[in-house]
Amino acid sequence: MRLWRAIAAATLFAAAPALLAGEIPPDARRSGYSFMGPETRAMQDDDTSNPGMLFVLDGEALWTKKTGGAEKACADCHGDARGSMKGVAARYPAFDNALGRPVTLDQRINLCRANHQQATPLPYESRDLLALSAFVAHQSRGVAITAGDDPRLQPFVAQGRDLFMQREGQLNLACTNCHDDNFDRRLAGAPITQGQPTGYPLYRLEWQTLGSVERRLRSCMTGVRAQAYDYGSPELVALELYLMSRARGLPLETPAVRP
Amino acid sequence: MAALINVPAKARRGDVIEIRALTSHIMETGFRHTVDGVLVPRDIITSFTCRYNGAEVFRAELFPAIAANPYLSFFTVAKESGKFEFEWIGDNGYSSTASASITVE
């Protein structure tokens, strides 16, 4: 009897860390906005002080600009973005039938350029690509995130979750070690957030420019001294997809401002 | 380049009004090097002016330590209806303008 009790106690001990560490329940999910200081919040809240809006303006101009061999603008197919693009970014990364895998909003813009505009793809993190994706995502500001709901995305969400839980780099840290287990604490004076991708592409004061969620993920990977995945790699897309599904229900804020 | 201007559309005569101007610019300091050790040449906005119906009400000199996409906020007295004109001048012949109207009652 005593033996059984000892075994039961040992099992409980072994299981305890797994119970403590874990995913954030839906009602406890918080945007990075709630971790910011009042000045940075004010900067995001006012569209005339939010530098991300400069990129949205550029994107609006690109939306109606004819380009490529087909001499077509985005607006020639999609019309007024305020109607046609509303809610779209909240569903991305989305499953692409032709490719049989999820694509990000940036990749969708470049697929449109290749297939419908006969234009060269825009490089990752280039001003034009960020401006277009900021303009498109801005149309979904306030819309609740639903990315990952498509059942065909299930294996890719699972892959992203595995990557999120997997320790890597010389510091041997997984995303979950900070963003599930230690949010609301501090790392070198800066608040650790939940890592909810609610405002991408966003204006990061540290970058002095707009950047994508892939750039943010890569800088975290460099931070734990791991080899960062390439832009557009299946791993980064899967991670972005898992993060978006993890932020399910939070409203989009694009273009957000972050310190 | 894109600019975001915030001037109140309406004001009463004699009111002190806040004007905010945000413009797009990389503000490259001229102190940074590429990975190959080549100096990235300075490319900044050096001067900003605001005119209210032709009369200069605010001027600023800008320097390399100022952040990208500079944001300036200042105050003036609403005297008459008319137009605010903004001008940014910088390195490599950079020049950009914007304007906004105000109705003073």
Side-chain angles (χ1 to χ4, degrees):
Chain A
M1 202 60 199
R2 188 172 288 173
L3 179 72
W4 283 115
R5 205 172 287 165
I7 289 172
T11 319
L12 201 68
F13 249 101
L19 292 173
L20 285 175
E23 286 159 274
I24 302 161
D27 56 343
R29 291 170 186 171
R30 282 158 58 198
S31 156
Y33 180 89
S34 70
F35 295 83
M36 305 200 298
E39 298 86 357
T40 324
R41 289 186 195 202
M43 197 174 184
Q44 176 175 325
D45 289 342
D46 179 355
D47 277 348
T48 57
S49 74
N50 181 343
M53 288 305 291
L54 295 167
F55 291 79
V56 172
L57 287 179
D58 286 350
E60 192 173 9
L62 289 170
W63 183 260
T64 51
K65 192 179 153 196
K66 290 188 190 299
T67 185
E71 272 296 303
K72 271 171 143 180
C74 309
D76 291 339
C77 291
H78 297 289
D80 188 348
R82 274 170 297 186
S84 64
M85 290 296 123
K86 188 172 167 61
V88 169
R91 299 194 293 269
Y92 268 78
F95 192 81
D96 184 89
N97 274 327
L99 297 172
R101 60 174 168 84
V103 295
T104 64
L105 193 56
D106 287 358
Q107 291 173 328
R108 169 60 64 214
I109 289 168
N110 273 334
L111 282 170
C112 254
R113 283 179 68 86
N115 299 338
H116 304 297
Q117 294 178 303
Q118 273 103 57
T120 49
L122 297 166
Y124 285 106
E125 302 307 296
S126 63
R127 191 177 174 96
D128 282 2
L129 184 57
L130 289 170
L132 267 173
S133 65
F135 174 66
V136 171
H138 180 62
Q139 310 308 319
S140 305
R141 183 145 82 172
V143 175
I145 293 170
T146 54
D149 282 5
D150 185 339
R152 291 172 297 177
L153 290 172
Q154 213 57 52
F156 300 96
V157 176
Q159 183 198 359
R161 188 178 178 281
D162 287 347
L163 288 164
F164 191 84
M165 302 295 169
Q166 178 189 303
R167 288 179 182 269
E168 62 169 5
Q170 288 181 323
L171 300 189
N172 201 29
L173 283 169
C175 312
T176 183
N177 296 145
C178 286
H179 299 292
D180 281 337
D181 299 345
N182 283 300
F183 68 84
D184 254 342
R185 297 203 184 154
R186 283 171 179 268
L187 184 65
I192 301 173
T193 69
Q194 295 182 349
Q196 309 284 9
T198 50
Y200 285 94
L202 57 74
Y203 194 89
R204 197 147 181 249
L205 300 177
E206 184 192 315
W207 293 336
Q208 297 271 292
T209 186
L210 210 70
S212 70
V213 65
E214 297 196 11
R215 180 170 179 186
R216 187 69 193 81
L217 289 169
R218 280 166 55 89
S219 65
C220 254
M221 287 167 187
T222 309
V224 300
R225 300 183 206 154
Q227 174 82 47
Y229 298 110
D230 289 332
Y231 282 109
S233 65
E235 289 88 356
L236 279 186
V237 176
L239 261 175
E240 179 178 345
L241 178 62
Y242 170 66
L243 285 178
M244 285 293 276
S245 71
R246 184 173 167 268
R248 194 179 193 289
L250 289 177
L252 273 185
E253 299 163 38
T254 310
V257 177
R258 294 290 182 267
Chain B
M1 289 300 257
L4 288 164
I5 306 292
N6 192 341
V7 171
K10 276 184 184 175
R12 279 178 301 162
R13 197 174 304 276
D15 273 1
V16 174
I17 52 167
E18 188 185 13
I19 294 166
R20 287 176 284 177
L22 173 68
T23 192
S24 196
H25 199 283
I26 55 166
M27 296 296 279
E28 182 59 55
T29 61
F31 297 123
R32 299 197 305 165
H33 295 81
T34 65
V35 279
D36 313 323
V38 184
L39 189 74
V40 182
R42 193 184 91 161
D43 182 11
I44 64 166
I45 293 173
T46 50
S47 155
F48 167 79
T49 45
C50 171
R51 288 186 192 81
Y52 183 10
N53 288 338
E56 186 175 300
V57 291
F58 183 82
R59 170 191 290 272
E61 284 177 62
L62 287 87
F63 295 94
I66 292 172
N69 307 315
Y71 171 66
L72 291 163
S73 156
F74 50 93
F75 296 85
T76 190
V77 178
K79 287 180 183 152
E80 67 223 15
S81 296
K83 203 166 151 193
F84 284 95
E85 288 167 295
F86 304 88
E87 188 180 25
W88 295 264
I89 293 169
D91 292 336
N92 312 317
Y94 177 84
S95 172
S96 171
T97 56
S99 64
S101 307
I102 186 169
T103 309
V104 177
E105 290 155 347

